[in-house]
Amino acid sequence: MSKVNKHGSAGRKLRVAVNHVEFTKYSEREIIQYDVELQPEGGEFKKLPPAEFMRSVFDQCMRMHRASRLGNTLMVYDARKIAYAPQRVCGPTETLRLEVSHSEAGRASKYTVQIREAAVIDPSSVTRFIRGEAGTEMADIQPALTAMDLAIGSVAHQGMVGFGRSFFTRAQSMLTSGGLELWRGFSLSVRPGMDRLYLNVNTAVTAMYMPGSLLEALLGVFDLQSVEQLRGHIDQSRAREMSAYLRGLTLYLRHRGITGKRKFAVKGVTSAALDRESFEWEDPGRPGHPETVTIAQYYAKRYNIKLRYPYLPGLVGRKNAIFPIELCEVAENQRYRGKLGDRQTADMVRFACQRPDDNRKRIEDVLRQLNFAESPVTAAFGLTLTSRLAEVESRVLPAPTINYARASQEPTLSPASGAWNMRGKRVSTPGAPLEFWAVLVLSRQRDLPMNRVQAFVTTLVDTCVQTGYGIRQNRPPIIYGNLNADLGREMRQACDAINLPPKRPPQLLLVVLPSTNAHVYQTIKNCAYTTLGIQTQCMQAKNMQKPSTQYCANLCLKINTKLGGTNQALTPSHLQKLVHNKPTLFMGCDVTHPAPGEQHKPSIASVVGSTDFMGLRYSATLIQLPSRQELVSKLQDAVVRHLKLFFKGTKTKPRHIIFYRDGVGETQFSQVRDRELIEIQRACSSVEPGYKPEITFLAVLKRHNTRFFPLNRTGDRTGNCVPGTVIDRSVTIPSLFDFYLFSHAAIQGTSRPTHYYVLHNDAKFSPDEIQELTYHLCFTYAICTRSVSLVPPVYYAHRVADRARCHMVDMGVGFEDASSATSGYYGGAGTSTRQTDDPDRATKIIKTHENLDETMYFM
């Protein structure tokens, strides 16, 4: 890539601090990469031990042999299979074998560490890249950055628990529910900038297993006070919950029959209790007399241990050995990789939330604590850093004019603060008037009486009328349903209560839920999306107790959007100027992957496309991918569909496509751009030979660690950068057309900008044009009166992906198996089914009902 003009000039200039520390010097000497193999005495590991153990053995080996065998050369190790050194420790074709003795839990073992040269890394490629010289891409400098990351990270490993580029300490922690703790820490990453190299330092928080008694931890998992409450109550559901907590967990077994602590990993949980699980055992004191004993009896006879809780199941370890829970301890320093529950997530948010000034102070404290200037590792690799955070230039773009219906008391406004309200405003375009609808209450009538529901419905109807959305039926039928019954049947009964003309489907079902139970919500959406073909609006019962006009206004925005209306819009002439007065199809795409521990599930690509000239109405398409695949297969089919839907809505072919692509890492940009850009171009030519609209392709990155801090009290009320702040200098990628944008007003904590990269630019957008367009689109997100942090096409794609589980057989449990090499596609037409030998494992992607297929059902 060649150097590009990426600097805008629009807006008010301000200096901001960034959580980057500049390298004043980095050596361009070669860095040698080594393959490292750790072998136990007399064999090899069937599976690599934990990283903490591997690092401990390697460090012991370095202490023993650095002076005698390594020429006093410092090496840094990734605790798996790779190490780096600033100079050679052996010949290019030589294998260095080092013997080391290592003690753990009071037992000493011997190991061999084999080191052989794998590659020679040239850090001068980094210099060429940050200067913006042609021919060097991000992927080319990644080996050098990885080596520097490891060198910097080895300093943090001293006294910290490290996971990749993040480091944590229990000294700053809090207890949460479910046998977990939350730890504070930080992340370190070497980042290229404009003519500079930086170290990015950011605060971090992670969930860790609570070390100590496993029994106490499991009481936390089940939210119980005593073990006795588990007697006879470990059903299939609790066994699954226990297995999920124990998955991948390392435990210590401690009892009088074992010297020190014996470490083991859990494979599963027994189906029977320890006083019922039996096996054949021969007492060493009575050879030749095997007997059948329970696990509880075995521990009593073999170790003279009378189990206190023999009614609990046992843990299955290696070679199917069974261990009592009460004799197990959770080993220290283990990260929890499962999905956090609602309470844990709330604790995590509170624990992680820090005002920008506090966050900046913590980062500066981390730098003082690490004291890179005194580190022998950074000296050996020729790395020198400043001791203070860098400052860069930013600009604050003006907010757009937001338009509501002309009949509004305030038809236009320009919200510089990034937030406004619906007082005195009417939606810009009302959707289909609400006439055929019902209310399904899934709370008990004694908890939510009929008069409360009727009062809420009255407030909702009045609010909708005031905001310009018409409701013809202001007394819909109110039906009480059974939460524990067949929810599909309950929904049908509510629909049957609506006085419908022949062949007219219901427009809306307002569903009142007693809680935020995810399974209930997904079941309702699954039935609505795929079987009944009706729009649903779910709400919590607590919000019906005291009707709030503001809450009802928010519901009105959602209902109007689902029924074909638009709520607010940019000024048409302004938007047309931004898109060069060409009919423009806005598209968003995101790829979501299965959670850790769910590798058998597929990845899902969600694609949305606008269906009007103003970029306000969107339709959605889902594409099923093999597990963890990043590139979107069958994107061509999806783009064809959205081209046709745009033509259907506007009677015009788009002359310009703006494609916002989320879910891509920086090293994948070239691959994704080239592959997916071709898919978009092929889609256009397949619609009509010679049809070549301009294409602008942007990658969108939200999950990054760059943070900016206003200087001299120029921030908003939370201390964050004000909405409209854009940074396109100093800390951006030299050879790319990229920028950071704060398009939202932070509510709490430290705000995170979105990082946009213009990877293809047929329309020849200037930096000012694409930055202003992207920022102003963020004011058009349909269902809130705030500018949002992410450009709406991507935001909608996120929502579609989130709803995707509701399209699946068993709401996501039946996702396609990861071993599949094929991809399924559905959107406007068809379903995809994976054929398996087991009919119970056949996976179906269920098509959205035709009544909803072209609507914004996902809002």
Side-chain angles (χ1 to χ4, degrees):
M1 295 182 185
S2 59
K3 208 164 188 174
V4 294
N5 174 26
K6 56 186 286 179
H7 300 148
S9 58
R12 175 169 50 97
K13 292 181 180 180
L14 289 175
R15 297 288 290 177
V16 294
V18 59
N19 62 342
H20 284 40
V21 181
E22 185 182 339
F23 283 88
T24 56
K25 177 186 173 185
Y26 61 91
S27 173
E28 293 191 355
R29 296 196 315 264
E30 291 178 340
I31 298 173
I32 314 302
Q33 178 180 324
Y34 290 96
D35 286 339
V36 177
E37 187 175 354
L38 180 62
Q39 296 178 337
E41 187 177 34
E44 59 183 33
F45 294 113
K46 292 181 179 178
K47 180 183 176 183
L48 280 181
E52 188 179 7
F53 172 82
M54 300 280 281
R55 187 180 306 283
S56 180
V57 175
F58 186 85
D59 288 348
Q60 175 67 12
C61 179
M62 293 297 101
R63 285 191 291 270
M64 287 180 62
H65 298 290
R66 182 173 290 125
S68 60
R69 303 285 304 277
L70 302 174
N72 281 319
T73 302
L74 282 168
M75 300 186 73
V76 293
Y77 175 50
D78 72 350
R80 306 319 288 161
K81 293 185 174 182
I82 295 175
Y84 298 94
Q87 59 193 42
R88 282 193 166 87
V89 297
C90 61
T93 59
E94 179 186 354
T95 298
L96 191 62
R97 290 179 176 83
L98 305 174
E99 306 293 330
V100 61
S101 178
H102 181 263
S103 296
E104 187 178 40
R107 293 182 294 179
S109 301
K110 291 184 178 181
Y111 301 90
T112 300
V113 178
Q114 293 192 157
I115 299 172
R116 67 179 67 87
E117 187 173 310
V120 177
I121 297 167
D122 178 13
S124 67
S125 61
V126 175
T127 305
R128 294 191 294 274
F129 184 80
I130 64 177
R131 288 176 180 168
E133 294 181 11
T136 309
E137 299 198 9
M138 193 73 181
D140 299 326
I141 66 168
Q142 203 56 50
L145 297 184
T146 301
M148 294 180 192
D149 277 337
L150 206 53
I152 291 289
S154 68
V155 180
H157 267 294
Q158 299 161 16
M160 306 288 286
V161 179
F163 305 101
R165 296 171 180 168
S166 299
F167 307 87
F168 302 91
T169 174
R170 198 183 183 198
Q172 301 176 34
S173 64
M174 70 166 278
L175 185 65
T176 185
S177 59
L180 301 179
E181 298 176 331
L182 302 178
W183 289 19
R184 287 196 196 279
F186 53 86
S187 65
L188 302 172
S189 177
V190 179
R191 294 279 304 167
M194 302 290 293
D195 288 316
R196 291 173 177 84
L197 190 65
Y198 292 100
L199 176 66
N200 171 238
V201 186
N202 196 29
T203 54
V205 173
T206 194
M208 302 285 287
Y209 286 97
M210 183 174 68
S213 166
L214 176 60
L215 204 52
E216 287 186 21
L218 290 176
L219 289 180
V221 170
F222 298 128
D223 198 18
L224 300 175
Q225 299 301 313
S226 72
V227 183
E228 189 64 30
Q229 291 174 276
L230 286 171
R231 184 189 290 269
H233 293 291
I234 298 189
D235 54 14
Q236 194 172 14
S237 173
R238 274 188 168 164
R240 278 200 304 267
E241 198 173 350
M242 185 188 298
S243 295
Y245 178 81
L246 295 170
R247 185 185 296 123
L249 186 60
T250 298
L251 300 173
Y252 286 122
L253 183 67
R254 297 188 70 173
H255 60 76
R256 283 169 284 180
I258 292 178
T259 302
K261 296 191 290 188
R262 179 177 169 190
K263 190 182 287 188
F264 73 99
V266 181
K267 286 172 55 180
V269 179
T270 61
S271 56
L274 296 173
D275 56 5
R276 295 201 305 276
E277 190 80 36
S278 60
F279 69 105
E280 193 171 272
W281 175 64
E282 186 176 293
D283 190 333
R286 299 179 62 221
H289 296 82
E291 57 181 317
T292 300
V293 295
T294 64
I295 301 298
Q297 290 169 337
Y298 167 77
Y299 273 85
K301 292 186 176 188
R302 181 73 176 88
Y303 299 115
N304 197 28
I305 296 174
K306 184 178 180 181
L307 297 180
R308 296 175 62 191
Y309 311 109
Y311 49 81
L312 294 179
L315 305 180
V316 182
R318 200 162 153 265
K319 297 182 179 178
N320 292 327
I322 298 174
F323 306 107
I325 293 173
E326 65 189 80
L327 300 181
C328 295
E329 290 185 359
V330 179
E332 294 180 335
N333 302 335
Q334 296 187 81
R335 194 178 197 179
Y336 179 72
R337 298 186 179 277
K339 185 177 181 180
L340 296 178
D342 291 342
R343 281 174 57 190
Q344 294 165 334
T345 300
D347 284 345
M348 175 74 85
V349 171
R350 283 193 296 271
F351 189 59
C353 183
Q354 295 184 96
R355 285 182 60 86
D357 287 346
D358 296 332
N359 208 14
R360 179 178 177 179
K361 184 178 181 301
R362 284 207 64 241
I363 291 169
E364 291 169 339
D365 289 344
V366 165
L367 289 170
R368 280 191 290 271
Q369 171 193 336
L370 293 174
N371 193 14
F372 290 116
E374 300 299 322
S375 167
V377 178
T378 54
F381 280 84
L383 305 175
T384 308
L385 297 100
T386 60
S387 58
R388 59 193 298 273
L389 299 185
E391 294 181 8
V392 300
E393 181 184 291
S394 72
R395 291 174 291 111
V396 181
L397 304 178
T401 298
I402 303 300
N403 295 266
Y404 284 91
R406 291 182 180 178
S408 304
Q409 293 177 21
E410 187 183 12
T412 64
L413 72 154
S414 184
S417 65
W420 62 99
N421 57 56
M422 286 297 294
R423 283 195 295 273
K425 302 174 187 68
R426 298 168 72 85
V427 296
S428 59
T429 309
L434 192 55
E435 184 174 2
F436 306 110
W437 65 301
V439 181
L440 173 61
V441 183
L442 294 176
S443 290
R444 294 175 300 186
Q445 190 163 357
R446 69 173 182 231
D447 297 329
L448 192 62
M450 178 65 77
N451 63 333
R452 290 275 176 85
V453 180
Q454 290 172 332
F456 178 86
V457 170
T458 299
T459 304
L460 176 63
V461 169
D462 291 345
T463 304
C464 287
V465 171
Q466 290 168 13
T467 56
Y469 177 61
I471 297 187
R472 291 176 179 168
Q473 172 56 273
N474 58 13
R475 295 181 64 84
I478 298 170
I479 309 298
Y480 283 85
N482 183 354
L483 185 68
N484 299 313
D486 180 342
L487 292 177
R489 186 185 65 209
E490 301 295 293
M491 293 171 70
R492 288 186 181 88
Q493 289 177 353
C495 291
D496 290 342
I498 303 171
N499 186 17
L500 290 169
K503 297 185 179 180
R504 177 69 189 261
Q507 290 175 284
L508 179 75
L509 195 60
L510 180 65
V511 184
V512 185
L513 303 173
S515 68
T516 56
N517 184 291
H519 182 76
V520 171
Y521 177 83
Q522 290 177 13
T523 302
I524 290 167
K525 293 297 184 180
N526 177 277
C527 185
Y529 291 165
T530 63
T531 306
L532 297 179
I534 57 171
Q535 301 285 2
T536 52
Q537 182 58 56
C538 294
M539 62 173 291
Q540 290 188 56
K542 66 180 183 181
N543 292 313
M544 267 197 173
Q545 300 292 354
K546 292 184 179 180
S548 157
T549 302
Q550 182 177 348
Y551 181 80
C552 288
N554 291 337
L555 279 188
C556 175
L557 296 182
K558 292 184 176 184
I559 294 169
N560 186 47
T561 301
K562 289 174 179 177
L563 294 183
T566 61
N567 297 322
Q568 74 265 13
L570 299 175
T571 303
S573 59
H574 171 66
L575 178 62
Q576 288 307 306
K577 179 182 176 183
L578 289 177
V579 297
H580 300 175
N581 296 305
K582 295 173 182 174
T584 299
L585 168 61
F586 296 100
M587 298 191 70
C589 177
D590 183 32
V591 176
T592 56
H593 302 294
E598 296 184 337
Q599 289 84 356
H600 62 287
K601 293 184 180 180
S603 295
I604 297 291
S606 50
V607 182
V608 301
S610 58
T611 58
D612 67 336
F613 288 121
M614 296 298 295
L616 300 175
R617 300 290 310 164
Y618 284 79
S619 58
T621 304
L622 285 169
I623 305 171
Q624 182 174 320
L625 306 173
S627 186
R628 313 217 74 80
Q629 177 175 306
E630 200 62 67
L631 294 173
V632 181
S633 311
K634 298 183 182 274
L635 179 61
Q636 178 179 338
D637 296 338
V639 174
V640 166
R641 177 172 183 256
H642 289 291
L643 287 168
K644 292 179 178 179
L645 289 174
F646 183 88
F647 184 83
K648 181 179 179 181
T650 65
K651 308 305 178 189
T652 304
K653 289 181 297 188
R655 292 172 55 199
H656 186 195
I657 298 172
I658 301 180
F659 194 92
Y660 288 96
R661 172 68 154 90
D662 196 10
V664 186
E666 288 177 331
T667 57
Q668 300 168 307
F669 282 168
S670 296
Q671 184 183 18
V672 169
R673 177 199 61 208
D674 295 344
R675 286 276 298 275
E676 295 182 4
L677 186 62
I678 290 172
E679 291 269 311
I680 298 170
Q681 291 167 338
R682 285 175 176 167
C684 295
S685 60
S686 71
V687 169
E688 180 181 295
Y691 173 48
K692 295 181 179 181
E694 294 174 345
I695 299 169
T696 303
F697 192 107
L698 295 91
V700 182
L701 196 60
K702 186 69 175 172
R703 296 182 186 92
H704 60 79
N705 287 313
T706 299
R707 303 290 183 271
F708 296 92
F709 308 101
L711 299 173
N712 305 319
R713 299 185 178 181
T714 55
D716 63 10
R717 61 179 181 80
T718 67
N720 282 289
C721 293
V722 296
T725 300
V726 64
I727 298 96
D728 60 8
R729 298 169 186 268
S730 301
V731 293
T732 50
I733 306 298
S735 58
L736 293 180
F737 180 177
D738 64 322
F739 58 93
Y740 292 93
L741 175 65
F742 288 90
S743 53
H744 66 298
I747 297 174
Q748 61 178 0
T750 302
S751 185
R752 174 168 47 188
T754 300
H755 197 173
Y756 295 92
Y757 309 76
V758 182
L759 302 183
H760 188 80
N761 188 13
D762 280 343
K764 294 182 171 53
F765 277 120
S766 70
D768 284 333
E769 287 174 331
I770 194 65
Q771 291 166 8
E772 185 178 4
L773 173 63
T774 300
Y775 176 44
H776 288 186
L777 285 175
C778 291
F779 286 77
T780 65
Y781 185 65
I783 59 172
C784 69
T785 52
R786 303 180 68 90
S787 57
V788 290
S789 63
L790 202 56
V791 70
V794 171
Y795 211 140
Y796 295 147
H798 282 190
R799 291 187 70 95
V800 172
D802 185 57
R803 298 293 189 272
R805 71 195 71 176
C806 304
H807 292 269
M808 305 296 167
V809 174
D810 297 328
M811 282 93 46
V813 176
F815 269 18
E816 180 172 329
D817 192 278
S819 61
S820 169
T822 61
S823 297
Y825 161 79
Y826 83 98
T831 64
S832 172
T833 306
R834 172 144 198 270
Q835 301 299 324
T836 69
D837 295 332
D838 182 354
D840 294 330
R841 294 192 64 213
T843 298
K844 296 178 181 178
I845 301 181
I846 307 173
K847 178 185 178 294
T848 310
H849 195 284
E850 60 183 5
N851 294 346
L852 305 180
D853 195 39
E854 297 176 13
T855 71
M856 295 180 74
Y857 66 89
F858 45 85
M859 300 304 290

